[in-house]
Amino acid sequence: MTDYTDWVKLIARAQADKCGLVGLSRILMERIGQTVLVTDKRGQVLAWQATPNNPVSPEEKIHIPNSVLKSGEMAEGIITIGGRKFPFYCWPISFKKIWGYLLVLKGDETFSAEKLGFIECVASAMLVDLSKNQELGELKQHLRDEFIHNILFNNAENIFAAGKTWGWDLSQDHVVLILEGIKRGQGRGLHEVRSWIEAILNTRYPGVACGMLGNSLIVLLPLRHQLSENRLGVSKWKGLALNAFEQLQKELSEFELWGGVGNMHWNTSSLYRSFQEAKVALQLGRYVDKRGNLVFFDELGAIRLFYNQREQDLKDFFEEVLGPVRLYDEQNEADLLYTLWVYSTCGGKVVDTTAKLHIHANTLRYRLRNIEELLGAKLEDPEVYFNVYAALKVGVMLGLFAGTK
Amino acid sequence: MAWRFLFNPDLCIGCRSCELACRNEHAAQGGEQWRTVKEAFLGAKTLGYFLSLSCNHCENPECIRVCKEGTYRKRKDGIVIHDPRHCSGCGSCIRACPFGAPKYSAVTDRVSKCNLCVERLDQGLPAACVVACPVGALTHLFPNEPDPEGVKEFVEGVGDVHITKPSIRFMFTAD
């Protein structure tokens, strides 16, 4: 009992001395004479202390066995470190939720109840440090988000110096990419996976700056080499955004992702303009452009002309051009507007349209003839087709008819 | 959430006190009329109600996007600020804003617009137009204050431009 009381006192003093996870691991290692590892809940190694006769150095992240993850209590298992296998005891460090894991590599001996008591006592002490670490991490993330917010709303001063404190070289040109996503079947956003996304992007694009604004994840992708504003440059920065987005889509397969990319303004102090453009691209692209989930502002085309028009003007335009078709659909429970929309998005190709609509080519021709009769004009006429196409886009944008089935 | 105006058309009597207070408060910045009271007609000639409008401090402000001089910025509390020191008076923001909020001043040869009386808000005082409203039709909501129940984002007479996401909210007494 005295031994245990002394042990508790030792731990308490060490904590008061701010020795952290590394110090606590060392105290434990010295006491039990075994290698000790501390990880967060994902297996990221936060601290370890190896015994002098068994010097192991773990990877940055270790795989916590499923038996441990499932049990939620002290468990045994075998772990591979540096190509060698070690039996271990593992204690979840938890209070209301799992904060991390304490692993002790076993030697030949079996731990006595007293030793197990010492270890569990340290595990509880580590809880305090883990929660402190997380709090610090959250504060850092909050401050980074604030800084990104300031850049994107043109509020920042000394951008370059402030960027350096976060490890970002803002003197380089950056592509602004806005990401939004929903976990399929659960409706949850990107908040829970933002750290993971940042890690993925950081590996591939060192110096990438990320920040969360509401439900959107803002990504500032650095262009490694200064590119001049020419065709080659355009294809390069677009390619960069496209690659990053495709990689994220692959990694986050359980998420439906959307992205918007603003124009390059070749000037860090104009990032706020790129950001506004990326927002518009994301919103309009989501409603209208079905070419893909990543939309570039400069590829929005004529839709850009609509987006700051009054809704009533747009509705009037839709009614003037496609009113008779909409009315026919309503009265006859037909699908002419949707047919016309698919026909337009397929570039007027009969084969593609029929495949998408699952109808026969003759049915499509019949419907198109019907539409032409209702419009009182031929779709082949470029003027008519332009108006019809524009009205269709307006209709989808305002939700006057569904662009998907 | 951001600082935003809350306007009740049922209460507004069209006295234009808000307009006057706004001009008084910001006379030194070119004297342009940032706030206007207009009539909203329901049907051909039936006057529905009055609307008191100025900058809506949109979530996606077009003025910020189009300004090449970096004149505009959006504070963390949502207020869109125009800094006349950087303004060249080119007028691109005037043309871009779907609500016509930025105004050109022939006196200063620059643009200016409603800043939600940011200096007053920072001192804990309400905006001048809000103080001047004798019937309480015009108020504002704090950044962390949720929208009251039954508020509308658009009403007849206001350009319903969804993409810029104006922050102003409307509430009718009858609702």
Side-chain angles (χ1 to χ4, degrees):
Chain A
M1 188 65 191
T2 322
D3 228 15
Y4 188 76
T5 315
D6 288 344
W7 178 245
V8 172
K9 277 184 188 168
L10 181 69
I11 298 293
R13 282 180 196 139
Q15 280 201 295
D17 226 9
K18 294 178 186 163
C19 71
L21 290 172
V22 176
L24 289 173
S25 311
R26 183 162 191 87
I27 292 169
L28 183 61
M29 182 272 287
E30 282 171 354
R31 177 82 200 199
I32 60 174
Q34 301 293 347
T35 301
V36 172
L37 285 106
V38 187
T39 74
D40 68 4
K41 61 181 176 184
R42 291 193 182 89
Q44 195 84 28
V45 177
L46 302 173
W48 86 92
Q49 288 294 333
T51 51
N53 53 356
N54 190 16
V56 290
S57 89
E59 307 277 320
E60 204 173 302
K61 192 174 180 180
I62 57 172
H63 179 70
I64 306 283
N66 271 341
S67 57
V68 174
L69 294 175
K70 277 181 192 161
S71 73
E73 291 172 2
M74 195 273 275
E76 291 179 64
I78 291 179
I79 195 164
T80 310
I81 299 175
R84 288 165 62 199
K85 290 195 171 176
F86 297 93
F88 70 90
Y89 283 121
C90 176
W91 284 261
I93 304 172
S94 60
F95 176 63
K96 293 184 183 168
K97 62 175 185 175
I98 302 271
W99 291 80
Y101 294 96
L102 167 63
L103 285 90
V104 176
L105 303 192
K106 279 201 292 184
D108 298 331
E109 57 167 328
T110 315
F111 288 161
S112 63
E114 191 191 21
K115 252 188 189 176
L116 291 175
F118 287 154
I119 296 170
E120 277 170 16
C121 174
V122 176
S124 301
M126 283 174 172
L127 184 65
V128 178
D129 280 283
L130 279 174
S131 82
K132 249 197 266 176
N133 274 359
Q134 182 162 335
E135 205 177 310
L136 267 176
E138 281 168 1
L139 181 67
K140 254 174 140 179
Q141 209 165 54
H142 173 72
L143 291 173
R144 271 192 312 171
D145 286 355
E146 291 264 289
F147 178 58
I148 293 272
H149 186 283
N150 284 338
I151 295 175
L152 298 177
F153 286 107
N154 199 19
N155 274 318
E157 285 172 11
N158 301 325
I159 293 183
F160 302 136
K164 271 184 190 161
T165 59
W166 296 111
W168 302 329
D169 180 6
L170 293 175
S171 62
Q172 286 186 15
D173 290 315
H174 285 73
V175 181
V176 181
L177 165 67
I178 303 183
L179 290 172
E180 277 184 17
I182 290 177
K183 197 168 188 176
R184 289 191 186 93
Q186 295 187 17
R188 282 187 300 198
L190 294 177
H191 282 274
E192 60 181 75
V193 287
R194 72 165 287 186
S195 311
W196 188 26
I197 295 178
E198 284 181 41
I200 293 169
L201 290 172
N202 249 318
T203 318
R204 186 136 183 205
Y205 310 98
V208 65
C210 299
M212 206 81 200
L213 276 187
N215 292 324
S216 313
L217 183 72
I218 317 297
V219 181
L220 307 183
L221 285 166
L223 285 175
R224 280 190 198 150
H225 308 289
Q226 295 283 343
L227 302 167
S228 58
E229 197 173 347
N230 54 29
R231 283 187 68 80
L232 183 71
V234 168
S235 67
K236 269 200 180 171
W237 70 258
K238 280 192 175 175
L240 183 77
L242 204 60
N243 287 343
F245 186 74
E246 279 172 358
Q247 194 185 1
L248 287 177
Q249 266 187 323
K250 215 182 286 169
E251 299 273 354
L252 301 166
S253 51
E254 70 274 33
F255 276 82
E256 174 84 7
L257 277 186
W258 295 276
V261 184
N263 281 339
M264 280 297 296
H265 288 287
W266 310 99
N267 182 359
T268 304
S269 57
S270 293
L271 277 175
Y272 67 93
R273 294 186 69 198
S274 295
F275 170 62
Q276 293 298 335
E277 289 165 352
K279 274 205 285 188
V280 171
L282 178 65
Q283 282 184 323
L284 280 181
R286 218 147 131 181
Y287 294 134
V288 184
D289 210 304
K290 295 293 165 193
R291 278 173 297 178
N293 283 9
L294 182 70
V295 182
F296 291 85
F297 180 75
D298 68 347
E299 289 178 5
L300 284 174
I303 312 166
R304 276 176 56 190
L305 305 177
F306 304 146
Y307 77 88
N308 57 3
Q309 299 299 314
R310 283 165 50 93
E311 192 170 324
Q312 195 52 50
D313 292 342
L314 292 173
K315 275 183 184 166
D316 289 349
F317 172 67
F318 176 83
E319 276 303 312
E320 278 161 24
V321 180
L322 290 173
V325 184
R326 187 192 55 76
L327 201 64
Y328 181 89
D329 271 357
E330 257 177 37
Q331 289 171 345
N332 300 286
E333 289 184 14
D335 243 356
L336 293 186
L337 269 181
Y338 182 61
T339 306
L340 194 53
W341 170 247
V342 176
Y343 180 68
S344 306
T345 52
C346 290
K349 288 176 190 150
V350 174
V351 179
D352 294 354
T353 313
T354 50
K356 255 193 178 172
L357 292 171
H358 307 292
I359 55 172
H360 191 269
N362 286 345
T363 312
L364 176 65
R365 287 191 194 101
Y366 168 74
R367 286 187 189 176
L368 290 174
R369 252 199 324 274
N370 219 343
I371 290 165
E372 286 181 337
E373 275 172 25
L374 288 165
L375 296 177
K378 291 275 178 200
L379 287 172
E380 296 151 11
D381 182 344
E383 186 99 1
V384 173
Y385 187 72
F386 173 78
N387 284 334
V388 165
Y389 189 59
L392 283 168
K393 292 241 172 188
V394 166
V396 173
M397 190 170 89
L398 299 181
L400 301 175
F401 72 96
T404 48
K405 289 258 158 150
Chain B
M1 288 295 236
W3 276 106
R4 57 220 188 274
F5 286 112
L6 176 66
F7 183 70
N8 187 333
D10 279 345
L11 295 181
C12 182
I13 52 174
C15 68
R16 298 180 192 271
S17 302
C18 49
E19 259 185 35
L20 203 63
C22 181
R23 284 186 86 158
N24 279 344
E25 185 73 21
H26 304 286
Q29 279 151 292
E32 286 311 304
Q33 194 172 321
W34 291 350
R35 176 166 288 282
T36 45
V37 174
K38 66 175 203 171
E39 296 95 354
F41 290 93
L42 303 176
K45 285 181 183 169
T46 320
L47 174 63
Y49 40 75
F50 294 100
L51 285 169
S52 170
L53 298 170
S54 65
C55 173
N56 291 320
H57 301 274
C58 301
E59 201 179 305
N60 303 332
E62 267 295 273
C63 49
I64 290 191
R65 188 181 70 76
V66 298
C67 180
K68 290 180 180 165
E69 318 292 337
T71 311
Y72 288 92
R73 65 191 177 90
K74 190 170 172 71
R75 298 195 342 161
K76 276 175 218 148
D77 55 12
I79 302 174
V80 178
I81 304 278
H82 174 269
D83 183 350
R85 288 172 304 173
H86 299 149
C87 183
S88 64
C90 69
S92 51
C93 53
I94 299 174
R95 292 186 290 276
C97 175
F99 305 100
K103 309 282 182 196
Y104 176 76
S105 164
V107 179
T108 59
D109 193 24
R110 284 169 186 173
V111 171
S112 61
K113 72 157 203 71
C114 161
N115 60 6
L116 227 154
C117 288
V118 69
E119 303 88 358
R120 290 177 61 94
L121 293 183
D122 286 348
Q123 289 170 33
L125 299 168
C129 52
V130 170
V131 177
C133 182
V135 289
L138 186 64
T139 51
H140 41 48
L141 298 167
F142 296 89
N144 292 324
E145 194 177 352
D147 283 342
E149 228 170 274
V151 294
K152 290 183 165 68
E153 292 185 6
F154 294 99
V155 293
E156 194 68 40
V158 180
D160 37 7
V161 182
H162 288 269
I163 204 85
T164 65
K165 295 193 180 167
S167 69
I168 188 171
R169 296 290 179 266
F170 299 92
M171 191 158 75
F172 289 89
T173 312
D175 292 342

